[in-house]
Amino acid sequence: MHIAKPDFNKNRRRIMRLDPCTHKAPSGSGRGRMSMRRLAAGSLLGALSLIALTGCNDGGSGSDEALAPVALTCDNSIKDGFKPDDQTTVLLVQSYKKGDKLPNAASDGTTTVASDLCLVKLLVGPGHPGPDGAPSTSPGIGIEVWLPSKSAWNGRLHALGGGGWAGTEETDITKISSGTVGSDGRSAPAIAAAEGAVTATNDTGHSSAFSGLDGSFAMNPDGTINTTLWTDFASRGIHEEVIKAKALAKAYYGSAPTRTYWDGGSTGGRQALMQAQRYPEDFDGIVAGYPANNWSRFITAELYPQIVIQRDLGGNYMSSDQLTAVSNAAIAACDVVGGAHLGYILDPAACRYDPTKDANVLCTTSGGSNSSAACVSTAQASAINKIWYGMTADGSVPDPAVDNGWAASPSGMQRWYGLSRGTSLLALAGSTAFPIATSQVALELQDPTLAGPPFINTTGNGADKWKSLSYAELSNAFDRGVSLQSAFGDINTDNPDLSAFKARGGKLIQYHGLADPLIFPQGSINYYDRVVAAMGGMSAVQDFYRLYLVPGMAHGPGNGTSNPDANPPYPASGQIYGLLTDWVEKGVAPDSIVVKSASSTPVQKSQPICMYPKKATFVSGDPLVASSYTCS
């Protein structure tokens, strides 16, 4: 194993441009006395890999024969030779052989490499200056690039996204990134080894001990908005990731990637859409899984269940048994297909279950028939209806028989959507507020004390003062988040104009679980509908961009419902990415996609997921088998 030590001052140097014939510095450069010894081996080969040398005039022959660039190797030649610009420093070069142990587990649990790989860590400035130790102080954007062996490379770059507030370990030379993954949950070293693709990740311009959960970086020490790091987080980090990974691949292999793909979920899904909107030339194909676009809208709305509990229930949380019982009652009311219970809801938009009218879940003291500890009062049942409906400006909720919260666009008092009926309520309505949401509201109202304890600032630390917010004050935070988009780096990533991406021939597949317990799937439908309206209709959009909704799927692969035995079918590892590469490279556009449950317990199920706006419609046969459905 070879490790090249970091040099944080290298970004202030320039690679010396030698005369291609004499191998000496140009006269007057001030570097003519530098010995050739200092440019031997890796340094010289690295420089030559970046500069195409033309032939020299040998004895007046007039020869103009070009010399081929020399590729880098997994050693100090990369530190000395890879210099795409003055802002980029190579922090680490590490060679791994098949079976070598990683310094820490990757995001998917990978602990050893499955084939020979070269890890290169980069730092791209300028970052953001400030006091030592302040979350808002940053040396720049950290990037990890995993390079397969030269004989194994498939010619692709498979770039991956982050999660939450990001802030992962790309600049830490003692660790690998533990929070950056593809939309199917696979890590960069696992994908690089399995596929033979170059993989890349980035920390979005900051690091945190609470990676993914801590938004402190976005506030300056004086409490003002850190516009620099908002921009790095929102857009610049992902762009630098792909630009530097492409350049490094070309220097390492001697040729540029033939195809470049983005694959991310959650924040990585938002990053996917930002690539298509702002950097349409970066990628041939994009997977946007359960994307966190509409950022300030849906994340502010993620705090709404907690405000409901504070305002309507006096801060008295419902137990996990209560939340699960009511959610399971919604599933039982809405999951029947072909006379059988699926265990998950096929079409939550059609479900209008109302626990305030269900005697089986209401306590006997509220007129119901349930005397167990999992029964709910009428006030608690109404609170759950509010959580399902979504954030309103005044805490109101309509009768779900009239409006269940699934309108194409929020209107009236509704600010944003809520959790789908049958989805687990524990993440957002449990006894701990979701820290990403409290950080976002603190940033919108520029008061760090509103956040939770991970949030640190000189003017005050997170003290959970969000608990005192009224419905009107949360609604004001929602409006502030939208109005501050330019200062927040356009984090909402909701521009419906994808015409440049379409024009360059790009392809985009977006998918979202209908039982996502963190990001409301209605937001994906809302954005897609807006793209359709802006770009000439459904057919014109489906030529390059397709949306799939996955019943029962969680925030990524897994069961997102409250029913532990639901076992819903969802895309297998690599399935969506494989469909994307086929679309880009073979012209085979995906239509309906057959997915299977990951387990055969209690029974394996299969289901078609349909290209939106079509839905799976039962025809006949076994409702647990995909062939019993059609997309219509």
Side-chain angles (χ1 to χ4, degrees):
M1 183 181 296
H2 173 79
I3 299 176
K5 296 180 180 179
D7 182 350
F8 288 93
N9 293 317
K10 293 283 285 183
N11 65 331
R12 296 181 175 89
R13 304 177 190 167
R14 296 177 182 272
I15 293 295
M16 188 177 75
R17 304 298 186 182
L18 302 181
D19 183 284
C21 301
T22 66
H23 290 176
K24 296 179 180 179
S27 60
S29 68
R31 298 176 182 261
R33 297 180 182 177
M34 181 179 288
S35 69
M36 283 301 297
R37 191 170 301 160
R38 292 181 62 186
L39 287 168
S43 297
L44 181 57
L45 293 179
L48 294 181
S49 74
L50 299 177
I51 309 169
L53 301 182
T54 57
C56 302
N57 188 327
D58 185 6
S61 67
S63 172
D64 194 30
E65 181 180 356
L67 300 178
V70 180
L72 299 174
T73 54
C74 192
D75 53 31
N76 276 327
S77 66
I78 293 179
K79 281 183 59 67
D80 295 331
F82 182 65
K83 198 64 182 175
D85 54 53
D86 288 341
Q87 293 291 343
T88 302
T89 302
V90 178
L91 301 180
L92 174 75
V93 180
Q94 184 160 333
S95 174
Y96 286 96
K97 299 301 181 184
K98 181 179 179 180
D100 279 349
K101 191 175 180 65
L102 295 168
N104 58 284
S107 49
D108 58 355
T110 296
T111 57
T112 59
V113 295
S115 66
D116 293 357
L117 298 174
C118 182
L119 168 63
V120 180
K121 283 178 173 271
L122 306 173
L123 177 68
V124 181
H128 187 256
D132 290 344
S136 58
T137 301
S138 169
I141 297 163
I143 297 170
E144 280 187 8
V145 183
W146 292 84
L147 302 158
S149 66
K150 297 184 180 183
S151 61
W153 187 40
N154 65 6
R156 292 174 180 162
L157 169 60
H158 186 164
L160 308 180
W165 288 110
T168 39
E169 302 95 336
E170 277 77 359
T171 59
D172 186 340
I173 64 169
T174 69
K175 296 179 179 180
I176 64 169
S177 178
S178 63
T180 44
V181 293
S183 66
D184 59 3
R186 293 183 296 161
S187 67
I191 291 174
E195 295 180 1
V198 173
T199 58
T201 66
N202 85 96
D203 64 7
T204 71
H206 67 280
S207 61
S208 171
F210 303 96
S211 60
L213 301 176
D214 180 14
S216 303
F217 71 92
M219 182 179 284
N220 288 318
D222 63 0
T224 58
I225 298 169
N226 188 342
T227 56
T228 297
L229 292 195
W230 263 114
T231 297
D232 283 357
F233 172 65
S235 61
R236 183 170 172 262
I238 54 177
H239 184 55
E240 290 292 345
E241 173 187 332
V242 66
I243 294 301
K244 298 307 185 289
K246 283 181 178 180
L248 181 57
K250 184 175 183 180
Y252 189 72
Y253 298 107
S255 59
T258 56
R259 295 292 185 184
T260 304
Y261 297 100
W262 180 271
D263 180 10
S266 191
T267 283
R270 183 201 62 77
Q271 292 167 331
L273 296 175
M274 179 63 83
Q275 296 281 9
Q277 293 168 18
R278 185 164 295 186
Y279 307 112
E281 294 300 322
D282 280 1
F283 290 95
D284 299 295
I286 293 172
V287 174
Y290 39 103
N293 66 321
N294 305 299
W295 177 275
S296 75
R297 292 181 171 91
F298 92 83
I299 291 185
T300 304
E302 281 183 325
L303 191 56
Y304 185 70
Q306 296 288 325
I307 301 301
V308 170
I309 292 167
Q310 294 298 321
R311 300 287 75 79
D312 290 21
L313 304 181
N316 296 307
Y317 287 94
M318 289 173 277
S319 70
S320 59
D321 287 345
Q322 288 175 301
L323 294 172
T324 298
V326 175
S327 288
N328 283 343
I331 293 173
C334 298
D335 75 335
V336 177
V337 174
H341 286 279
L342 294 182
Y344 59 91
I345 298 175
L346 187 64
D347 182 12
C351 183
R352 297 179 181 273
Y353 169 76
D354 183 355
T356 67
K357 301 175 183 177
D358 184 358
N360 292 321
V361 299
L362 290 173
C363 299
T364 55
T365 53
S366 292
S369 59
N370 192 326
S371 59
S372 75
C375 75
V376 293
S377 67
T378 302
Q380 291 170 326
S382 178
I384 292 174
N385 268 342
K386 291 184 178 186
I387 292 167
W388 284 334
Y389 183 73
M391 179 181 173
T392 62
D394 60 357
S396 60
V397 60
D399 185 328
V402 177
D403 182 0
N404 67 352
W406 276 78
S409 295
S411 60
M413 299 305 293
Q414 188 185 33
R415 308 310 311 273
W416 201 247
Y417 306 101
L419 292 167
S420 302
R421 282 169 168 78
T423 298
S424 173
L425 300 173
L426 301 182
L428 297 185
S431 59
T432 302
F434 192 47
I436 295 176
T438 61
S439 288
Q440 178 64 30
V441 171
L443 291 165
E444 289 165 345
L445 298 177
Q446 293 179 258
D447 180 355
T449 65
L450 292 169
F455 200 104
I456 298 172
N457 189 263
T458 303
T459 64
N461 296 331
D464 285 326
K465 290 187 176 179
W466 60 266
K467 291 181 179 180
S468 66
L469 292 174
S470 67
Y471 287 118
E473 287 169 330
L474 186 67
S475 185
N476 176 56
F478 184 97
D479 290 333
R480 292 261 308 160
V482 174
S483 66
L484 287 170
Q485 279 305 294
S486 59
F488 287 176
D490 293 319
I491 188 64
N492 280 358
T493 316
D494 55 1
N495 182 356
D497 183 3
L498 304 181
S499 56
F501 183 70
K502 179 180 181 180
R504 64 93 69 211
K507 306 299 182 188
L508 171 56
I509 298 177
Q510 180 173 337
Y511 69 109
H512 205 141
L514 286 173
D516 190 327
L518 292 176
I519 301 180
F520 318 118
Q522 303 95 310
S524 279
I525 298 170
N526 176 281
Y527 176 70
Y528 193 84
D529 285 345
R530 291 177 59 239
V531 174
V532 168
M535 293 192 60
M538 189 66 69
S539 178
V541 170
Q542 289 178 339
D543 284 345
F544 77 100
Y545 175 20
R546 299 187 173 191
L547 170 64
Y548 294 87
L549 302 172
V550 188
M553 191 180 82
H555 191 59
N559 173 18
T561 77
S562 55
N563 175 14
D565 295 325
N567 200 25
Y570 51 80
S573 177
Q575 185 175 5
I576 299 297
Y577 180 73
L579 292 169
L580 177 70
T581 58
D582 282 350
W583 195 5
V584 170
E585 297 174 16
K586 300 176 184 179
V588 179
D591 194 356
S592 63
I593 303 169
V594 174
V595 294
K596 297 179 179 180
S597 50
S599 172
S600 59
T601 304
V603 61
Q604 189 169 56
K605 305 169 185 178
S606 61
Q607 182 77 54
I609 55 173
C610 304
M611 181 172 57
Y612 179 81
K614 292 181 179 180
K615 296 181 180 182
T617 303
F618 178 74
V619 178
S620 63
D622 185 348
L624 303 184
V625 177
S627 59
S628 302
Y629 295 82
T630 186
C631 288
S632 59

